[in-house]
């Protein structure tokens, strides 16, 4: 017989959520009480529990089903009134946001480590999204951490196993548990945002495309929308079944980890369009015939053509980008006469701007793009907006991008990732660079002259909150920029991300290889930060 048990526990010292929740190696979450402690710290912050709705789901990675059962049992043990669970424990991150918003939930627990590898030797994560559907702001995550740091007990219903594979309601003590179709609410929302009839005509007219779901959560969503509702041929979506280890692949949609898709599109007989999404469905990769479209370029193209979607038919009140994202979208905003907001990395900063109605489109250089429809970045949504633009303009994807560059100029852009660095060495590198910032303006490195050097601070225009130390910016007089930032999404060591860009207004110089076009900026960045000297790395681990 099911009963509530209060279990004594002791705190863990590593349960401070980062920008994307609590993300660790999978084996960390298998420690006794580790999951329970963090979930209890989340549940203790939910007011009016008896009338509250909690959404639960994730990207299908290893350990997800077991943790889903634990969360349901703990929600019942803490008196949560209703729990909505994605069938099979599945919900993409944007779909979880959609369900939270549609059903008026107090929040949701999303089980994912995003684009990180899965499996027993991979990564796992637990993230709390608040009532507007977006990631918890820092005030909430800090409160969760404070509670977790002092936790002495948690409450759970023992001997409780819910059938999470069968749709419909059931009860666990006083809690109503509803297993929901993970795709239905999201697909219905997409039908309100886009002109599905126009998209059907595009796909029925000989338009050839491929969507690589990377054996991750977006597969069921893409099959339902692209193939079943829009009529794309069966097999348009590849790697469509979510697997606990993503088929042994790294579910990060970039030219390194989706090399096969890029090869298809740059070969002798490319399709008209190709795209991919990541582990939890919030990122996207766009590939036009002949070349990969950098996320910063994609954001700018979408901003310039956003009214192709009925959901944005009235235009954009403003746009926002994370600070490391290239300034390509800024040029579009200037032409449209709208404001561009530069924020720290992290979708929670966009959520405030969306809630206030200040922006209609936002994006990050790490391939996240979104709008007002949810409070998360949304990979499949970005693909549907691209298709809507192609349907309305009748312009091939490669020609669309080239025409954009001809009008606005091209911002050559690349990101160099130095992964699994010694944490102390990475911290010492950034500390030394910060200390040198006042002396850098006016100096020349690798043939470039430094015009500005600072550590980015953001003041939220909605609530006035101030966020400091969000990335070191080096701006050059020659229209170039280098940004240095330690990432908060890895699980071992530190990852130094170096973002490099240079503006090129001359259309005759728009077909260069980005690494070649950025050679001087790359050399300057490496010298300024003393990367090889301080890390021992002569080259980045990932170039995208």
């Amino acid at each position: 017989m099911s009963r509530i048990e209060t279990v004594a526990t002791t705190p863990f010292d590593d349960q401070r959520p980062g920008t994307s929740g609590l993300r660790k190696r999978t084996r960390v979450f298998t420690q006794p009480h580790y999951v329970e402690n963090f979930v209890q710290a989340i549940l203790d912050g939910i007011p009016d529990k008896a009338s509250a709705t909690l959404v639960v789901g994730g990207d299908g990675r290893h350990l997800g089903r077991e943790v889903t059962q634990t969360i349901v049992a703990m929600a019942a043990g803490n008196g949560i009134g209703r729990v909505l669970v994605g069938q099979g424990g599945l919900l993409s991150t944007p779909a979880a946001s959609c369900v939270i918003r549609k059903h008026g939930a107090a929040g949701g627990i999303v089980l994912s480590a995003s684009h990180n590898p899965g499996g027993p030797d991979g990564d796992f994560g637990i993230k709390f999204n608040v009532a507007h559907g977006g990631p918890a702001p820092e005030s909430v995550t800090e409160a969760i951490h404070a509670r977790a740091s002092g936790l002495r007990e948690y409450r759970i219903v023992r001997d409780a196993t819910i059938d999470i594979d069968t749709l419909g309601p059931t009860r666990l003590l006083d809690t109503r548990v509803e297993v929901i179709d993970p795709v239905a609410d999201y697909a219905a929302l997409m039908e309100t945002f886009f002109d599905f009839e126009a998209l059907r005509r595009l796909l029925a007219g000989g338009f050839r495309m491929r969507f690589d779901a990377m054996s991750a959560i977006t597969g069921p969503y893409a099959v339902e929308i692209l193939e079943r509702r829009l009529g794309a041929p069966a097999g348009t979506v590849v790697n469509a079944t979510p697997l606990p280890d993503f088929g042994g692949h790294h579910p990060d949609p970039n030219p390194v980890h989706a090399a096969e898709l890029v090869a298809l599109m740059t070969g002798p007989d490319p399709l008209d369009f190709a795209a991919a999404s990541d582990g939890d469905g919030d990122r996207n990769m766009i590939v036009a015939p002949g070349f990969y479209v950098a996320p910063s370029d994609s954001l700018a193209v979408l901003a310039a053509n956003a009214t192709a979607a009925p959901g944005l038919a009235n235009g954009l009140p403003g746009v926002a980008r994370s600070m490391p994202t290239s300034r390509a979208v800024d040029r579009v905003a200037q032409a449209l006469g709208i404001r561009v907001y530069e924020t720290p990395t992290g979708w929670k900063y966009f959520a405030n701007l969306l809630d206030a109605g200040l922006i209609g489109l936002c994006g990050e250089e790490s391939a996240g793009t979104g709008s007002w429809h949810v409070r998360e970045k949304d990979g499949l949504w970005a693909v549907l907006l691209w298709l809507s633009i192609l349907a309305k303009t009748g312009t091939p994807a490669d020609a669309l991008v080239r025409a954009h560059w001809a009008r606005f100029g091209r911002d050559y852009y690349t990101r160099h990732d130095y992964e699994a660095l010694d944490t102390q060495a990475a911290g010492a590198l950034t500390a030394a660079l910060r200390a040198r910032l006042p002396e850098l303006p006016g100096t020349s490195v690798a043939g470039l002259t430094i015009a500005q050097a600072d550590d980015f601070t953001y003041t939220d225009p909605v609530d006035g909150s101030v966020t400091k130390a969000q990335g070191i910016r080096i701006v050059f007089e020659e229209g170039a920029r280098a940004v240095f930032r330690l990432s908060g999404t890895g699980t071992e060591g530190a990852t130094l991300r170096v973002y490099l860009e240079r503006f090129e207004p001359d259309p005759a110089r728009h077909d260069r290889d980005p690494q070649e076009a950025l050679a001087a900026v790359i050399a300057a960045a490496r010298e300024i930060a003393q990367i090889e000297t301080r890390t021992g790395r002569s080259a980045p681990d990932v170039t995208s």
Side-chain angles (χ1 to χ4, degrees), residues 48-66:
D48 303 321
K49 292 180 176 59
S51 59
T53 295
L54 180 70
V55 174
V56 182
D59 61 14
R61 68 179 58 226
H62 180 79
L63 202 64
R65 291 177 65 91
E66 296 86 343

Side-chain angles (χ1 to χ4, degrees), residues 38 44 49 75 114 121 128 150 182 187 207 211 269 272 277 281 299 303 312 320 371 374 393 406 443:
F38 192 68
D44 282 346
K49 292 180 176 59
S114 187
D121 298 320
F128 182 62
F207 186 87
F211 182 95
D269 184 28
D272 297 302
S277 190
L299 176 64
L312 296 172
S371 186
V374 293
T393 64
T443 61

Side-chain angles (χ1 to χ4, degrees), residues 34 42 104 123 139 158 167 208 223 240 251 273 389 463 514 528-529:
Y34 193 88
I42 292 173
D123 297 339
S139 59
R158 286 299 188 197
L167 295 174
R208 300 185 305 156
V223 168
F273 181 78
I389 293 167
D463 60 21
I528 292 167

Side-chain angles (χ1 to χ4, degrees), residues 19-100:
T19 56
S20 298
L22 185 67
R23 192 177 294 179
K24 307 283 183 183
R25 287 294 195 186
T26 301
R27 61 179 177 269
V28 173
F29 287 91
T30 63
Q31 299 175 86
H33 309 303
Y34 193 88
V35 167
E36 291 87 347
N37 277 26
F38 192 68
V39 172
Q40 186 65 56
I42 292 173
L43 296 176
D44 282 346
I46 296 178
D48 303 321
K49 292 180 176 59
S51 59
T53 295
L54 180 70
V55 174
V56 182
D59 61 14
R61 68 179 58 226
H62 180 79
L63 202 64
R65 291 177 65 91
E66 296 86 343
V67 174
T68 297
Q69 292 283 358
T70 297
I71 293 170
V72 173
M74 291 188 67
N78 282 269
I80 299 294
R82 182 172 70 149
V83 180
L84 302 180
V85 183
Q87 187 179 28
L90 300 178
L91 272 177
S92 75
T93 291
S97 181
C98 166
V99 172
I100 291 169

Side-chain angles (χ1 to χ4, degrees), residues 507-520:
R509 296 173 58 84
H510 286 171
D511 285 324
R512 303 173 68 193
D513 177 87
Q515 302 306 310
E516 175 193 340
L518 292 164

Side-chain angles (χ1 to χ4, degrees), residues 436-444 449-454 473-475 477:
R436 294 178 56 216
L437 290 177
E439 66 190 50
L440 290 177
T443 61
S444 295
T449 302
I450 299 173
Q452 175 189 344
D454 65 12
R473 300 184 294 185
I474 309 295
V475 180
E477 292 181 358

